[in-house]
Amino acid sequence: MFKSHGKAKPDPNRWLKFVMGSAVCRWTSQDGKHRAYLIARNDGGFSCASDYFSDDEFEKCWVTAGVDGSIFGSEEIAVREIHASYPWSRDVKREDYA
């Protein structure tokens, strides 16, 4: 007899992992369903990425929405781009990766 272990619970604090570098910080929308990341690239530049929480009955997990192909020369420029692309990020606290 097999025992069901149920569905895996999504980890709301999980940070995305990137081949191109490491997440420095993220912003989580007020509704808790969207996140934007600042990525420190291995080549010295910066990029952006995002994910969203899917409420689809077969998912119930975080889904990568995309990684911006742009490379920014400084953290400040990348943060401005995040705020332009995700206006809600201006209204929430920045979460630094510890």
Side-chain angles (χ1 to χ4, degrees):
M1 196 59 77
F2 292 101
K3 183 176 180 183
S4 173
H5 294 287
K7 286 187 172 182
K9 300 274 186 207
D11 180 0
N13 297 312
R14 178 184 68 86
W15 284 70
L16 286 178
K17 297 196 185 296
F18 304 95
V19 172
M20 72 184 91
S22 301
V24 174
C25 63
R26 73 179 177 196
W27 293 260
T28 302
S29 64
Q30 290 177 339
D31 67 3
K33 301 227 179 213
H34 301 275
R35 301 188 294 203
Y37 293 83
L38 170 65
I39 304 162
R41 296 173 52 92
N42 296 328
D43 61 10
F46 292 86
S47 290
C48 310
S50 65
D51 62 359
Y52 67 93
F53 191 80
S54 172
D55 282 322
D56 184 85
E57 73 174 292
F58 297 108
E59 291 181 327
K60 300 288 185 197
C61 63
W62 288 97
V63 178
T64 301
V67 176
D68 187 332
S70 300
I71 301 172
F72 305 101
S74 72
E75 180 175 332
E76 293 77 20
I77 294 169
V79 169
R80 281 198 307 255
E81 181 65 24
I82 288 169
H83 291 326
S85 298
Y86 310 99
W88 53 261
S89 67
R90 294 184 199 113
D91 301 325
V92 296
K93 186 177 186 228
R94 172 180 166 155
E95 306 165 56
D96 291 309
Y97 186 69

